[in-house]
Amino acid sequence: MNLDKPTQERLISIVRRAGQEIVMPNFRQLSAADVETKSSLTDLVTIADKASEAFITEEIQAAFPNWEIVGEEAVAEDPSTTDKIATADTCVIIDPIDGTWNYAHGLSEFGIILAVVVKGVTRFGLLYDPVNDDWIYANRGEGAFFQHTAMNEKGKHQTPSQAPLALKITAEPELDKLVGIMSVNSYSGQKKQDFALKASRFVRINNLPSCPAYRQIAQGHFHFSLTYKMLPWDHAAGVLVHTEAGGICRTLDGQEYRPTMLDGEMLAAQSEQQWQALAEHFRK
């Protein structure tokens, strides 16, 4: 069962508050002491990540006490937390700042991601841009929508005056004309060389975090994305948004996505034909 409108609005409100009251006031204001390294030099966490996740978690627990919550930073402390995604009746998956490296270095390509999984199936996905105070959301079987905010509404937690815009992807059939999102530098050794060569076929390749990446491909600005790792806070909401906009998301080896997946590479494309052609290209 999908979430009712008041529940959706409550979740969006919580995420907007985290973005405008915690994430944006700290943007370009962090000191070296406010940023820590996790698994690698590019895997960072800031005081804003931790504060944003704590705020969203507390607000959701207060509003929906029977729901389980899986946040990226909570999983960093206890990896077994991801088990809740499969076992809970309702589980909320949070990425408090997706694109922390960009955020910590003053780049504005980042966002907040929230997904609601009911009995193992993603029912609601939210991709929020705190910089512009706008968002893309989807409910399973109901389509994907972009909610724009006017200049005088941004950052003021006002209800947008404009109606949301329904998103519908139109596929580009020719691979040589595609613009894609992938991180060649995330691979290593021979695979890094192979993928760098494969990426040269396309018109343009950018590297974006999951929130802006899924927003861009759902709006048709990019044609595909290939992600080298599978983390539920990176994909649960984005896959729902992309598929509800008419796209195709599967792991590169052809498996249908589930929010419990922790391994694999995610290939998002605009159509079945395009996905098959891209998969063949990258598998060679």
Side-chain angles (χ1 to χ4, degrees), residues 40-116:
S40 70
L41 292 175
T42 58
D43 185 13
L44 306 179
V45 62
T46 73
I47 57 170
D49 291 80
K50 295 178 179 180
S52 175
E53 182 166 309
F55 174 82
I56 295 171
T57 298
E58 291 168 4
E59 290 291 314
I60 291 175
Q61 286 175 335
F64 310 101
N66 295 324
W67 291 9
E68 296 286 358
I69 299 173
V70 172
E72 179 182 7
E73 305 314 324
V75 173
E77 296 293 327
D78 179 6
S80 69
T81 303
T82 57
D83 295 344
K84 297 177 182 178
I85 300 172
T87 60
D89 285 339
T90 302
C91 181
V92 182
I93 304 173
I94 305 165
D95 192 338
I97 301 179
D98 174 69
T100 299
W101 194 94
N102 284 354
Y103 179 79
H105 289 84
L107 301 175
S108 57
E109 293 292 348
F110 60 88
I112 301 176
I113 306 177
L114 182 146
V116 179

Side-chain angles (χ1 to χ4, degrees), residues 10-23:
R10 183 68 178 272
L11 293 172
I12 293 169
S13 175
I14 291 169
V15 169
R16 287 183 79 189
R17 286 183 58 200
Q20 299 307 313
E21 297 174 16
I22 298 171
V23 175

Side-chain angles (χ1 to χ4, degrees), residues 180-229:
I181 300 168
M182 59 184 293
S183 175
V184 173
N185 288 328
S186 298
Y187 297 95
S188 60
Q190 186 61 47
K191 192 166 186 177
K192 181 176 182 177
Q193 296 180 43
D194 291 344
F195 272 45
L197 183 60
K198 292 177 189 296
S200 68
R201 175 172 184 175
F202 306 108
V203 174
R204 184 183 179 94
I205 291 293
N206 278 31
N207 180 20
L208 292 174
S210 294
C211 186
Y214 276 115
R215 285 171 56 103
Q216 289 291 318
I217 60 176
Q219 293 178 91
H221 302 312
F222 285 78
H223 302 113
F224 75 91
S225 68
L226 178 65
T227 308
Y228 77 103
K229 61 181 178 179

